[in-house]
Amino acid sequence: MKRARLKKTLIIVGIPTLYALVLRMFFGIKEWSDLFSVMSVSFLFCLPTITGILTVYFSGEDKVRRFRYRFFAPWVPIFSFFLITLLTRLEGWACWLMILPLFLLAASVGGLIGGYFKLKKKANKMYIPALTFFPFLMAPVENMISVTPATYEAITYIDIQAPAEKIWGNVTSVYKIKEEQDKGWLTKLLGLPRPVEAILNYEGVGASREARFTNGLVFHETVSEYTDKKKMVFSIKAYPYEIPSTTMDEHVVIGGKYFDVLNGTYELERLNSTTCRLHLYSRFQLTTNFNFYAGWWAKWIMKDIQNNILQIEKLRSENQ
């Protein structure tokens, strides 16, 4: 009896997990990237949905009748897939944390779809095999559709009780940041590089600085607009070939195929005789078929980075 249950459990969890792994490895073949890409709707939405359908399809009808089972059971193979890809380094921690909410929701939707066909007796022997091939048919069609880059803006600010001269000095040149001063909780959670320093070579249009982060990440900044103690606009460029392969996952590398930071702006606004408001904006570009989801994460990450820098500039301006 126990062996039968164990065998049934292995089928319910094992087959959907194996399907997800096969799909991931197939879509990860670089030589076929023009047709099959991990950064596609065909992969990111179809994989968890079909995994959910398979989980419920192979389950017993008595379990499938329960809504909670149809909704949550597909999460088990998703988490199994999650762990295996992390252990084998098929995916990085940052990528998984960002995509996990989408995967879990899509897997639950798949579970509900699978439950409908299971209970209505509408699934025949050809239905499941045909369904598993759907991503392979959809991906080439998706890749024929051109992707339009979308530009987003992350807007942040902080109030600082210090003279404008002091604040501006900490804006133009951010000297070495100690690890204990880093309050970027989201970037820490995702394991992304943290800021180290950014020193302007001179104040004015045409000036440049290298915003250095840990693990070899460098943003090359060039000032395009400058008003002393009021405004500084600068272009931002990161070169993928400068970034060590171990620094960031290839799917989220800055300056790469899918994500790039364009420019940043500092503005200093006087609120009263003792307080100034320091604004920091950034514009970045995404080129994916799911910008509606990726844009939300990218904006959240950029705001976390900016708020971290602003709080360091505030601390230094008010206490130095």
Side-chain angles (χ1 to χ4, degrees):
M1 191 71 174
K2 288 183 179 180
R3 286 185 178 180
R5 286 181 179 177
L6 179 60
K7 184 179 179 180
K8 186 67 175 177
T9 301
L10 288 175
I11 292 173
I12 294 170
V13 177
I15 292 179
T17 303
L18 181 61
Y19 172 77
L21 287 169
V22 169
L23 205 65
R24 170 60 184 87
M25 288 187 286
F26 187 89
F27 273 70
I29 298 173
K30 292 184 179 180
E31 290 76 10
W32 297 348
S33 60
D34 289 340
L35 292 176
F36 305 98
S37 171
V38 172
M39 295 289 284
S40 65
V41 173
S42 307
F43 178 82
L44 295 174
F45 289 81
C46 291
L47 182 149
T49 303
I50 296 175
T51 298
I53 291 173
L54 291 174
T55 304
V56 172
Y57 178 79
F58 287 115
S59 299
E61 193 171 313
D62 56 330
K63 292 181 178 179
V64 175
R65 291 188 179 280
R66 301 197 300 269
F67 175 84
R68 282 190 300 177
Y69 183 87
R70 300 195 303 272
F71 193 89
F72 291 109
W75 290 18
V76 178
I78 292 296
F79 279 115
S80 299
F81 175 59
F82 173 96
L83 290 174
I84 292 170
T85 53
L86 278 179
L87 292 173
T88 57
R89 299 191 177 182
L90 274 173
E91 291 294 347
W93 177 253
C95 263
W96 252 120
L97 280 183
M98 286 188 279
I99 209 65
L100 185 59
L102 177 63
F103 263 43
L104 293 179
L105 179 60
S108 293
V109 171
L112 297 177
I113 294 171
Y116 171 81
F117 283 100
K118 177 95 173 178
L119 297 175
K120 295 292 183 180
K121 311 293 185 184
K122 292 187 177 183
N124 57 45
K125 291 183 179 180
M126 292 300 297
Y127 168 75
I128 295 300
L131 184 65
T132 58
F133 279 98
F134 182 71
F136 300 99
L137 301 175
M138 179 179 172
V141 176
E142 181 184 349
N143 274 280
M144 287 190 291
I145 302 171
S146 60
V147 181
T148 303
T151 302
Y152 300 83
E153 190 173 40
I155 302 172
T156 52
Y157 69 85
I158 197 168
D159 294 340
I160 305 174
Q161 292 185 328
E165 296 80 5
K166 202 168 193 180
I167 298 171
W168 200 248
N170 285 305
V171 166
T172 55
S173 291
V174 182
Y175 291 95
K176 192 168 184 179
I177 301 168
K178 297 179 181 178
E179 190 170 353
E180 58 268 22
Q181 294 177 313
D182 186 356
K183 305 299 180 183
W185 68 271
L186 180 58
T187 50
K188 283 183 181 178
L189 178 65
L190 295 173
L192 299 177
R194 66 174 188 83
V196 176
E197 64 179 6
I199 302 172
L200 199 68
N201 59 353
Y202 68 87
E203 297 182 10
V205 175
S208 63
R209 69 178 184 179
E210 292 183 345
R212 297 188 172 277
F213 285 64
T214 54
N215 301 334
L217 176 61
V218 178
F219 291 111
H220 300 273
E221 302 175 349
T222 303
V223 177
S224 57
E225 184 180 341
Y226 187 87
T227 304
D228 191 39
K229 302 177 188 66
K230 288 187 177 180
K231 187 176 183 179
M232 182 171 72
V233 182
F234 49 95
S235 63
I236 304 173
K237 189 64 181 175
Y239 299 104
Y241 62 84
E242 291 184 341
I243 305 171
S245 59
T246 54
T247 298
M248 305 182 78
D249 188 284
E250 63 175 320
H251 304 127
V252 295
V253 66
I254 300 168
K257 182 179 179 181
Y258 306 106
F259 176 54
D260 198 10
V261 184
L262 303 176
N263 57 52
T265 300
Y266 273 107
E267 286 188 4
L268 189 59
E269 173 191 5
R270 181 175 290 279
L271 298 180
N272 53 50
S273 58
T274 59
T275 307
C276 294
R277 176 166 291 174
L278 181 59
H279 301 264
L280 177 55
Y281 318 99
S282 69
R283 290 175 64 249
F284 57 92
Q285 182 176 279
L286 291 172
T287 310
T288 73
N289 285 329
F290 48 94
N291 282 347
F292 64 92
Y293 183 78
W296 181 81
W297 269 103
K299 188 176 290 188
W300 197 15
I301 291 170
M302 290 303 296
K303 283 188 174 183
D304 185 67
I305 294 171
Q306 292 173 198
N307 282 323
N308 187 29
I309 295 295
L310 287 174
Q311 67 86 21
I312 289 169
E313 291 166 340
K314 172 184 172 71
L315 181 68
R316 292 180 175 181
S317 299
E318 292 181 344
N319 294 286
Q320 286 181 349

